[in-house]
Amino acid sequence: MDPLVIGVDVSTTACKVIVWDMAGAAVAQARRALALSMPRAGWHEQDARDWQRALVAGLREVVAQVDARRLAGLSIAHQRETFVPLAADGTPLRPALLWLDERCSDLLPELEARLGREAYHTLAGRPLSANLAVGKLVWLARREPEVFAATRWYADVQAYLVQQLTGRLATSWGSADPLGLFDMRARQWAADVLAATGVAASQLPELHPPAARLGGVTRAAAALTGLPAGLPVICGLGDGQAAGLAARVTGPAAAYLNLGTAVVSGAYAAEYAADRAFRTTCGGVPGSYILETVLLGGTYTIDWFLEAFAHARPGETANDVLARLEAQAAGLAPGADGLLLVPYWNGALNPYWDASASGIVVGWRGIHRPHHLYRAILEGVAFEQRLHAEGVAATTGQPVAEYVVMGGGSRSSLWRQILADVTGRPIRGCAAAEASALGAGILAAAGAGLFPDVAAAARAMAHLETAATLPDAGRAARYAQLYEEVYRPLYPALQAPLARLHALTR
């Protein structure tokens, strides 16, 4: 019988469980929504038990649709920077703190002074920022000391679910490094950083390379999920790097662009590099790195706009509203009739690393309507991607040849064209609708021994769309003017007043 593998993607909004064959075709799939809690401004939490419940339900659904004897392995991709404190029996002691959470921003100057700004960045592959676990652990110690004292384990999403499946608390290099507690060169927990947080390495998961075998499904987990007992659980990694495998980012000049809640772009690197223009994370090919840029306000900003301003007309559905805005915005020339937006709705990571950053909209006139703002959001994200790409190319000396796009935003043909025109690069779609889950499936196949290595599994299972969206020379020239003369200097000019506004009004 031809083998099958299971790729799981536990994102911010849903748990997706997909069975893949060795050609990368989805054989069965299930999806379970995940609730997001925002108890205070800047706080974002989830009940980790919901991850387990969603995974169990999804696994039961897909296993019932296939011959379980064909299953060769399972691997998990997941939202990054998110972690949960656990009691000794594995029970969550409080809701998980998500990557979007900014509650520790006040503690960053103190931590930076202790660890050293440049020394920490070189060690961890990224500057200190509010989305990392480092500051949140200190916040827990000071604001929830009873939780901090009772915690036996701190688990990222993969580690928590692997423990539920195998009884073993283990995770990947590419799941550990986004926490900001990881020595990128040594590929182990960073002792000096842990000392600053008061957390011991013994409270953290075992570390393994992607595609390593972590254990087998226990009999108890098999009874819950329908999986065969002993099924190999293969080491996965963060959703961004996993999506990169589905985009065939396994060699130089390749890059993915995930248009999701956050806009994440990653370029392959064989050697370690650290720079404020990007963050460095461990790649899906063991031993490789991904130079990654992140905009936290991606489709998050579009969703905010749709909820706050794009009201449905009588008889319209939410999809009708979006289609209407797309059509109206497509009729506008580059520049949205003078409206320009900087999409820092959730602060700014690279290149500014400013937790107090906020969104900017300039050029308002009485002629502007919702579709102008919608196009300004799409253009603002594209301008930001160009800013990010220029920073990566300046460090590596190797520009990206083309972007492979994925995520919910990639369904917009207008956004693809704007991205091509602004960045000057072809935009090609990833054939898999669920790229992170496919990346997990690729790792499961490689780890189960069905291919010689991860790159070979990606070549066989990952597919790209044949046609690419190409830049238009006329629009590209117009966007180049807007970028150079308005967009790029705008945030630096307003950074100090926006920081003061944040301090006075938070």
Side-chain angles (χ1 to χ4, degrees):
M1 294 183 291
D2 292 334
L4 302 171
V5 292
I6 299 177
V8 177
D9 174 24
V10 185
S11 70
T12 314
T13 57
C15 174
K16 289 146 280 188
V17 182
I18 304 180
V19 179
W20 304 97
D21 68 16
M22 295 304 96
V27 175
Q29 51 191 305
R31 184 184 189 277
R32 294 294 186 276
L34 294 170
L36 176 65
S37 173
M38 292 177 282
R40 291 179 57 180
W43 293 22
H44 295 79
E45 299 179 345
Q46 275 179 338
D47 186 344
R49 293 170 298 183
D50 286 346
W51 306 336
Q52 191 262 351
R53 287 188 282 259
L55 177 63
V56 167
L59 286 170
R60 290 194 70 85
E61 183 175 338
V62 300
V63 172
Q65 300 175 51
V66 300
D67 183 343
R69 294 173 298 174
R70 296 175 63 189
L71 295 173
L74 175 153
S75 188
I76 298 170
H78 58 92
Q79 54 174 296
R80 298 173 293 180
E81 291 97 26
T82 295
F83 71 96
V84 60
L86 304 175
D89 64 357
T91 303
L93 292 169
R94 71 171 322 282
L97 284 75
L98 267 61
W99 59 277
L100 283 165
D101 194 284
E102 300 175 345
R103 72 185 67 196
C104 66
S105 56
D106 290 349
L107 301 172
L108 298 184
E110 172 191 335
L111 281 167
E112 192 170 80
R114 177 169 180 176
L115 295 170
R117 176 177 172 175
E118 296 304 322
Y120 177 82
H121 188 175
T122 301
L123 176 79
R126 66 212 69 214
L128 274 170
S129 60
N131 67 312
L132 302 179
V134 186
K136 291 168 191 172
L137 290 171
V138 176
W139 185 94
L140 281 173
R142 296 182 183 179
R143 302 293 179 86
E144 296 182 4
E146 68 289 347
V147 171
F148 191 80
T151 299
R152 174 62 185 90
W153 310 101
Y154 291 97
D156 60 84
V157 180
Q158 177 176 206
Y160 177 75
L161 294 175
V162 166
Q163 186 182 53
Q164 302 298 311
L165 291 172
T166 69
R168 182 181 182 187
L169 193 78
T171 198
S172 166
W173 299 340
S175 300
D177 76 67
L179 296 173
L181 308 169
F182 188 76
D183 184 328
M184 292 294 293
R185 286 196 177 98
R187 298 191 181 96
Q188 62 187 20
W189 298 115
D192 290 347
V193 180
L194 294 183
T197 67
V199 172
S202 59
Q203 292 178 276
L204 298 169
E206 300 171 18
L207 295 170
H208 299 272
R213 178 169 174 164
L214 299 180
V217 172
T218 64
R219 291 188 180 277
L224 282 174
T225 61
L227 293 170
L231 179 74
V233 176
I234 305 301
C235 194
L237 73 173
D239 51 8
Q241 305 105 296
L245 292 176
R248 292 187 176 177
V249 179
T250 58
Y256 62 85
L257 180 57
N258 195 339
L259 300 174
T261 306
V263 172
V264 182
S265 180
Y268 178 92
E271 303 294 332
Y272 180 69
D275 191 275
R276 290 184 71 83
F278 50 83
R279 66 185 188 186
T280 310
T281 191
C282 293
V285 175
S288 71
Y289 297 94
I290 297 292
L291 308 184
E292 195 174 75
T293 63
V294 181
L295 169 64
L296 296 177
T299 59
Y300 180 102
T301 309
I302 294 174
D303 291 342
W304 161 84
F305 161 73
L306 292 173
E307 181 179 346
F309 298 109
H311 304 301
R313 296 170 180 172
E316 278 190 328
T317 66
N319 287 336
D320 293 335
V321 174
L322 189 57
R324 169 165 54 83
L325 289 166
E326 283 264 319
Q328 292 172 329
L332 299 174
D337 285 342
L339 201 62
L340 187 138
L341 180 144
V342 179
Y344 294 163
W345 259 240
N346 288 312
L349 296 183
N350 53 274
Y352 304 113
W353 304 98
D354 184 357
S356 68
S358 53
I360 304 168
V361 186
V362 296
W364 285 109
R365 300 267 184 183
I367 63 168
H368 291 133
R369 296 294 181 266
H371 63 283
H372 289 89
L373 182 55
Y374 177 72
R375 181 168 183 125
I377 293 171
L378 302 186
E379 292 180 339
V381 172
F383 284 136
E384 188 66 14
Q385 181 57 36
R386 176 168 175 167
L387 179 70
H388 293 178
E390 289 179 350
V392 173
T395 299
T396 64
Q398 183 170 315
V400 168
E402 72 173 11
Y403 288 104
V404 177
V405 294
M406 61 200 62
S410 67
R411 292 191 291 268
S412 168
S413 58
L414 173 61
W415 206 357
R416 287 197 193 195
Q417 188 63 62
I418 289 172
L419 283 162
D421 293 340
V422 171
T423 64
R425 297 292 183 268
I427 305 295
R428 191 180 303 276
C430 177
E434 297 293 348
S436 295
L438 176 57
I442 288 168
L443 290 172
L450 304 175
F451 293 97
D453 53 36
V454 174
R459 286 193 297 271
M461 298 175 67
H463 306 283
L464 308 182
E465 293 176 359
T466 303
T469 302
L470 303 177
D472 174 87
R475 290 192 298 267
R478 178 62 172 159
Y479 277 129
Q481 281 188 298
L482 289 167
Y483 172 76
E484 294 288 352
E485 299 176 29
V486 183
Y487 187 87
R488 191 164 66 171
L490 185 58
Y491 181 74
L494 293 178
Q495 187 171 11
L498 286 174
R500 188 60 185 150
L501 175 65
H502 174 76
L504 291 172
T505 61
R506 64 184 169 185

Coordinates of all heavy atoms in Angstrom, one line a residue, residues 39 73 98 125 157 163 186-187 189 196 246 266 272 284 295 332 352 397 407 413 433 435 472:
P39 N -7.9 39.8 27.0 CA -8.4 40.3 28.2 C -8.1 41.7 28.5 O -8.8 42.4 29.2 CB -7.8 39.4 29.3 CG -6.6 38.7 28.6 CD -7.0 38.7 27.2
G73 N 3.7 8.4 9.4 CA 4.2 9.4 10.4 C 3.3 10.6 10.5 O 2.4 10.8 9.6
L98 N 0.4 34.4 23.6 CA 0.6 34.2 22.2 C 1.6 35.2 21.6 O 2.0 36.1 22.3 CB -0.8 34.5 21.5 CG -1.6 33.3 21.1 CD1 -2.0 32.6 22.4 CD2 -2.9 33.6 20.4
G125 N 19.6 35.6 17.2 CA 19.2 35.7 15.8 C 18.1 36.8 15.6 O 17.6 36.9 14.5
V157 N 4.0 25.3 21.3 CA 2.8 24.6 20.8 C 3.1 23.1 20.4 O 2.5 22.2 20.8 CB 2.1 25.3 19.7 CG1 0.9 24.5 19.2 CG2 1.7 26.7 20.1
Q163 N 3.8 16.1 23.7 CA 3.7 15.4 25.0 C 2.4 14.7 25.1 O 2.3 13.6 25.6 CB 3.8 16.5 26.1 CG 3.8 15.8 27.5 CD 3.9 16.9 28.6 OE1 3.2 17.8 28.6 NE2 4.9 16.7 29.5
A186 N 24.9 27.3 18.6 CA 25.1 26.1 19.3 C 23.9 25.1 19.2 O 24.0 24.0 19.5 CB 25.4 26.3 20.8
R187 N 22.8 25.7 18.8 CA 21.5 25.0 18.7 C 21.1 24.3 20.0 O 20.9 23.1 20.1 CB 21.5 24.0 17.5 CG 21.7 24.7 16.2 CD 21.5 23.7 15.0 NE 21.7 24.4 13.8 CZ 22.8 24.3 13.1 NH1 23.9 23.6 13.6 NH2 23.0 24.9 11.9
W189 N 19.6 25.6 24.3 CA 19.0 26.7 25.1 C 20.2 27.6 25.6 O 21.3 27.1 25.9 CB 18.3 26.1 26.3 CG 17.1 25.3 26.0 CD1 16.9 24.0 26.2 CD2 15.9 25.8 25.3 NE1 15.7 23.6 25.7 CE2 15.0 24.6 25.1 CE3 15.5 27.0 24.8 CZ2 13.8 24.7 24.5 CZ3 14.2 27.1 24.1 CH2 13.4 26.0 24.0
A196 N 18.7 35.3 33.0 CA 18.0 36.6 33.1 C 16.5 36.4 33.4 O 15.9 37.3 33.9 CB 18.3 37.4 31.9
A246 N 6.9 24.0 1.7 CA 5.8 23.9 0.7 C 6.1 24.8 -0.4 O 5.5 24.6 -1.5 CB 4.5 24.2 1.4
G266 N 10.5 34.7 4.0 CA 11.7 34.0 4.4 C 12.6 33.7 3.2 O 12.1 33.1 2.3
Y272 N 24.9 31.1 9.0 CA 24.2 31.9 10.0 C 24.6 33.4 9.7 O 25.8 33.7 9.5 CB 24.7 31.5 11.4 CG 24.0 32.3 12.4 CD1 22.6 32.2 12.7 CD2 24.8 33.2 13.2 CE1 22.0 33.0 13.7 CE2 24.2 34.0 14.2 CZ 22.8 33.8 14.4 OH 22.2 34.6 15.4
G284 N 13.8 24.4 7.6 CA 13.3 23.0 7.6 C 14.3 22.0 7.1 O 14.3 20.9 7.5
L295 N 5.9 41.3 9.3 CA 5.0 42.4 9.6 C 3.8 41.9 10.4 O 3.0 41.1 9.8 CB 4.5 43.1 8.3 CG 3.3 44.1 8.4 CD1 3.8 45.3 9.2 CD2 2.8 44.5 7.0
L332 N -8.6 52.0 -9.0 CA -7.8 53.2 -8.6 C -6.4 53.1 -9.1 O -5.8 52.0 -9.3 CB -7.7 53.3 -7.0 CG -9.1 53.4 -6.3 CD1 -8.9 53.3 -4.8 CD2 -9.7 54.8 -6.7
Y352 N 12.8 48.2 12.6 CA 12.8 49.2 13.7 C 12.7 48.6 15.1 O 13.2 49.2 16.0 CB 11.6 50.2 13.5 CG 11.6 50.9 12.2 CD1 10.6 50.6 11.2 CD2 12.6 51.8 11.8 CE1 10.6 51.3 10.0 CE2 12.6 52.4 10.6 CZ 11.6 52.1 9.7 OH 11.6 52.8 8.5
G397 N 23.8 40.2 0.0 CA 24.3 40.5 -1.4 C 23.6 39.7 -2.4 O 24.0 39.6 -3.6
G407 N -1.1 31.7 2.0 CA -1.9 32.4 3.0 C -3.2 33.0 2.4 O -3.3 33.1 1.2
S413 N -6.1 38.6 -6.4 CA -5.3 38.9 -7.6 C -4.8 40.3 -7.6 O -3.7 40.6 -8.1 CB -6.1 38.6 -8.8 OG -7.3 39.4 -8.9
A433 N -3.1 24.8 -0.7 CA -3.8 25.8 0.0 C -3.4 25.9 1.4 O -3.5 27.0 2.0 CB -5.3 25.4 -0.1
A435 N -0.2 25.6 3.2 CA 1.3 25.4 3.0 C 2.0 24.9 4.3 O 2.9 24.0 4.2 CB 1.9 26.7 2.6
D472 N 4.4 45.3 -13.7 CA 4.1 46.2 -14.8 C 5.1 47.4 -14.7 O 5.1 48.1 -13.7 CB 2.6 46.7 -14.8 CG 2.3 47.8 -15.8 OD1 2.0 47.4 -16.9 OD2 2.5 49.0 -15.5

